[in-house]
Amino acid sequence: MSTALKAGKYPSDAGGSKHNAIQPEVVVDSDIVHEPVVGINLVIARAKELGWQYEPDPDLSLLDQTIAERMGYRQARRMGVLPFYEDKDSLLVLVRHDLSWETWVEVQAEFGLDITPVVVSDNHFNKALQRAFENSSAAVDAVEDLGEAEDLQTVSAGLPEDLMESQDDAPIIRLLNAVLTQAIEEGASDVHIEPLETLVVIRYRVDGILRDVIEPPAALAGRIAARIKVMARLNIAERRVPQDGRMSLRLAGRLIDIRVSTLPTYYGERVVMRILEKDAGPLSLEQIGMSDEVSKQLRQLIRSAHGIFLVTGPTGSGKTTTLYAALQEVRSPGVNIITIEDPVEYDLDGIGQTPVNVKTGMTFARGLRAILRQDPDIIMVGEVRDLETAQVSVQASLTGHMVFSTLHTNDAVGSVTRLMDMGVEPYLVASSLLGVMAQRLVRKLCIDCRTEHLADEGERGLLGKSSNDNTVIYYPKGCDHCAYTGYKGRTGIYEFMLINDPIRHLIHDFEGESSLRKVANEGGMKSLRGDGIAKVLKGITSLEEVLRVTQS
């Protein structure tokens, strides 16, 4: 394998050629290449034709963003050339296989250095391009460029195909593109745009926590909201009623779906944008932080022939993600799976997905009745919101279908009471319900800066440890990798109540939550806090974070 871009190697040490050097040896490691063989062979052939080095697995940690920004995203993507690393008088650049000779002459003229070209696959080139421009502070820069003289015609200019390619467009467009680009790169789930009396506050929700990003002048509130409404195909003339819409964007080759919600307020329209990366796809049970014991029990339950499986928790606790992971487990060509969702968050191959549309009368209950005529084996109902949906779900489970759904309750035991409060008879709940999973999302400690310490007496008490136990736990510190929050990413904590015969009898006789919880605990159910503490002891999260999300 070539070594020009391997960790610890510098361009001056590379075995590859300069732009006027002899053709190098080209070697491909089969365990590294993850692209179609035909495509890789084309890249290798092009590298041989040009007499340049081919690198199958470039080390992106060597990328110098300052060098890359000298060319700019738009030009680098158009030319297929990315300045990668500079060492003394030599510049190493990544090139795509479709680079023309005229473009190469232009690059030489622009940089005037002894250049080492390295051919990489399109996939690696796009990843390097994304890495080079992912930490751009363009959002802040765009605010400084905005003036009071911009007119509304500029705001309604056409949406660019790729956000990073629009640096020369109108100020409002550049501001929003920069805001969305930065939000996506930081992993934000939501962008909040809140007009106040003297300014507009733009905030990101990252790992469940909101933080302020920029504060444009209040005079721009209307134009920002209007531009977003144009992008989401909403009525820009209507400012008195809430509106909902969506838009799809492409950022450095990644397909992003954004749900938009507007709400009239005293100082203007408040806008919230929910960001969904379509290419990310659903996660597995292990990826969402489920323990081996719980995932084993869940896998057995979801393969039942009929019954109801519920996931409970507040909004934003990852319920739909858990259901998608469960559907991934049971999906097969011999199983007919149909969902009714509000909205459809991710496309699942081999599964029929139906969106709720209240305007046309397509509710959960109506959609569920229609699905039952489609010969389903497994049905996923986005949420049990009312008695009608609950009753149809129960009837579907009792007539030989497996039903997955969600419910808004604080814990697993509370879901039984909620169904009864809706009006479902206790004997129907006892007959149909197979299991309930309550969950929350906790922030994961940044592995680059987490700091360990011996738990004090109060912490040992919360952890269930004896006073003489030398328990080591971790707490957040903060560094560049986690934006000085001490946390990076989230994982789930779970409370899984399997409906066994003792619990079924208690539900049938409507004995109350306390009796249900006692029997469930005796049967081995671990509470949300208990699962969280297990993750604290493993160094995955902090005790403060678990207490924050599990407080009553």
Side-chain angles (χ1 to χ4, degrees):
M1 178 187 299
S2 57
T3 58
L5 301 183
K6 298 301 171 192
K9 298 290 184 180
Y10 296 87
S12 59
D13 302 325
S17 62
K18 304 296 183 189
H19 63 275
N20 58 353
I22 301 174
Q23 174 178 329
E25 179 184 5
V26 180
V27 182
V28 180
D29 283 358
S30 60
D31 61 332
I32 290 178
V33 175
H34 301 290
E35 300 196 26
V37 175
V38 174
I40 289 298
N41 288 340
L42 178 64
V43 175
I44 295 173
R46 180 60 171 164
K48 287 183 176 181
E49 177 187 346
L50 295 171
W52 292 344
Q53 179 180 336
Y54 166 70
E55 175 54 61
D57 187 28
D59 182 3
L60 298 186
S61 66
L62 297 176
L63 174 65
D64 189 335
Q65 292 181 321
T66 304
I67 298 297
E69 288 174 356
R70 284 165 53 184
M71 176 169 280
Y73 175 87
R74 189 173 185 175
Q75 187 178 10
R77 185 170 184 263
R78 178 179 60 82
M79 288 183 162
V81 178
L82 179 65
F84 193 83
Y85 192 96
E86 186 175 10
D87 181 38
K88 298 179 181 178
D89 295 328
S90 176
L91 176 67
L92 188 145
V93 297
L94 300 187
V95 299
R96 285 198 309 255
H97 74 281
D98 58 350
L99 175 74
S100 67
W101 189 254
E102 291 77 11
T103 299
W104 182 242
V105 172
E106 184 180 342
V107 171
Q108 289 179 296
E110 181 172 345
F111 287 95
L113 294 171
D114 193 9
I115 303 176
T116 301
V118 177
V119 181
V120 296
S121 68
D122 289 357
N123 185 37
H124 283 124
F125 185 87
N126 289 334
K127 286 182 179 179
L129 194 63
Q130 180 181 329
R131 173 75 72 89
F133 296 93
E134 65 184 357
N135 294 322
S136 173
S137 58
V140 176
D141 297 338
V143 175
E144 297 175 357
D145 292 339
L146 290 168
E148 297 293 329
E150 297 294 331
D151 56 26
L152 192 57
Q153 283 71 23
T154 311
V155 176
S156 57
L159 183 65
E161 179 182 352
D162 194 305
L163 292 181
M164 283 185 172
E165 292 188 357
S166 57
Q167 296 178 5
D168 297 327
D169 290 332
I172 292 290
I173 299 174
R174 288 191 291 114
L175 167 63
L176 285 175
N177 291 346
V179 165
L180 289 173
T181 299
Q182 190 168 317
I184 293 165
E185 295 302 341
E186 292 188 13
S189 60
D190 301 88
V191 177
H192 291 236
I193 301 176
E194 306 170 15
L196 302 177
E197 183 177 8
T198 59
L199 50 82
V200 179
V201 178
I202 297 181
R203 303 197 286 174
Y204 294 162
R205 185 179 294 279
V206 180
D207 294 336
I209 304 298
L210 277 171
R211 66 176 178 84
D212 293 355
V213 181
I214 52 175
E215 298 178 349
L220 299 177
R223 286 187 283 167
I224 291 174
R227 176 59 191 166
I228 294 172
K229 289 163 76 173
V230 167
M231 295 163 68
R233 295 180 174 84
L234 300 178
N235 185 354
I236 62 173
E238 181 56 78
R239 304 183 186 91
R240 299 165 296 176
V241 298
Q243 296 187 65
D244 295 303
R246 66 191 306 162
M247 54 186 169
S248 293
L249 307 172
R250 190 170 292 277
L251 174 66
R254 297 154 59 189
L255 184 61
I256 309 296
D257 192 56
I258 299 178
R259 299 206 308 261
V260 178
S261 172
T262 69
L263 179 70
T265 68
Y266 187 76
Y267 293 109
E269 286 183 286
R270 192 179 193 275
V271 180
V272 174
M273 294 181 282
R274 168 65 58 88
I275 299 172
L276 298 170
E277 188 167 350
K278 305 290 284 186
D279 295 337
L283 303 174
S284 67
L285 296 179
E286 287 75 21
Q287 287 175 311
I288 61 178
M290 204 169 287
S291 67
D292 292 340
E293 179 184 0
V294 172
S295 63
K296 181 180 178 180
Q297 292 178 326
L298 180 58
R299 283 188 170 98
Q300 292 176 344
L301 181 145
I302 60 180
R303 285 176 170 79
S304 302
H306 56 85
I308 297 178
F309 166 58
L310 293 176
V311 181
T312 74
T315 300
S317 59
K319 299 185 297 296
T320 302
T321 300
T322 298
L323 287 183
Y324 278 1
L327 290 177
Q328 291 288 98
E329 290 284 333
V330 298
R331 183 184 62 177
S332 73
V335 178
N336 184 17
I337 304 175
I338 305 179
T339 73
I340 175 78
E341 306 174 55
D342 184 22
V344 174
E345 294 192 6
Y346 292 105
D347 295 331
L348 303 177
D349 292 336
I351 294 176
Q353 296 174 270
T354 304
V356 166
N357 190 332
V358 178
K359 293 180 180 179
T360 61
M362 185 62 169
T363 62
F364 277 117
R366 184 174 181 180
L368 184 52
R369 286 195 178 92
I371 287 173
L372 290 174
R373 297 191 291 272
Q374 294 286 312
D375 186 31
D377 298 300
I378 298 173
I379 303 168
M380 189 193 103
V381 182
E383 182 184 344
V384 177
R385 295 178 177 175
D386 50 41
L387 175 60
E388 186 180 12
T389 305
Q391 288 176 331
V392 178
S393 299
V394 168
Q395 291 302 320
S397 69
L398 295 176
T399 54
H401 304 89
M402 188 65 196
V403 180
F404 297 172
S405 191
T406 69
L407 203 60
H408 286 279
T409 61
N410 292 326
D411 55 20
V413 174
S415 62
V416 175
T417 306
R418 178 62 56 84
L419 288 172
M420 294 180 184
D421 289 343
M422 285 182 178
V424 182
E425 294 293 337
Y427 74 91
L428 291 175
V429 177
S431 301
S432 60
L433 194 60
L434 298 181
V436 184
M437 177 83 75
Q439 67 179 67
R440 299 289 189 278
L441 293 178
V442 295
R443 291 179 293 171
K444 295 192 294 184
L445 288 166
C446 174
I447 60 175
D448 293 298
C449 67
R450 64 179 183 177
T451 305
E452 67 174 35
H453 76 107
L454 285 175
D456 59 32
E457 185 175 352
E459 290 170 333
R460 287 195 296 270
L462 292 169
L463 294 170
K465 300 293 183 179
S466 61
S467 58
N468 58 356
D469 192 283
N470 293 326
T471 303
V472 175
I473 60 175
Y474 293 83
Y475 65 89
K477 182 180 179 182
C479 66
D480 288 336
H481 296 92
C482 59
Y484 294 94
T485 63
Y487 298 94
K488 190 172 184 180
R490 290 191 290 178
T491 189
I493 57 175
Y494 302 93
E495 176 183 277
F496 185 46
M497 182 175 72
L498 194 62
I499 308 298
N500 52 28
D501 287 339
I503 293 178
R504 205 175 301 280
H505 290 312
L506 290 175
I507 296 174
H508 185 277
D509 298 336
F510 197 31
E511 293 291 338
E513 287 189 17
S514 58
S515 299
L516 285 174
R517 187 173 290 105
K518 179 181 177 181
V519 173
N521 290 334
E522 291 173 352
M525 182 182 76
K526 181 182 288 186
S527 67
L528 285 167
R529 181 165 292 186
D531 190 38
I533 287 174
K535 287 181 169 62
V536 170
L537 296 174
K538 291 179 181 178
I540 297 173
T541 188
S542 67
L543 182 58
E544 294 81 4
E545 180 69 4
V546 171
L547 296 178
R548 179 183 70 86
V549 301
T550 60
Q551 60 185 352
S552 300

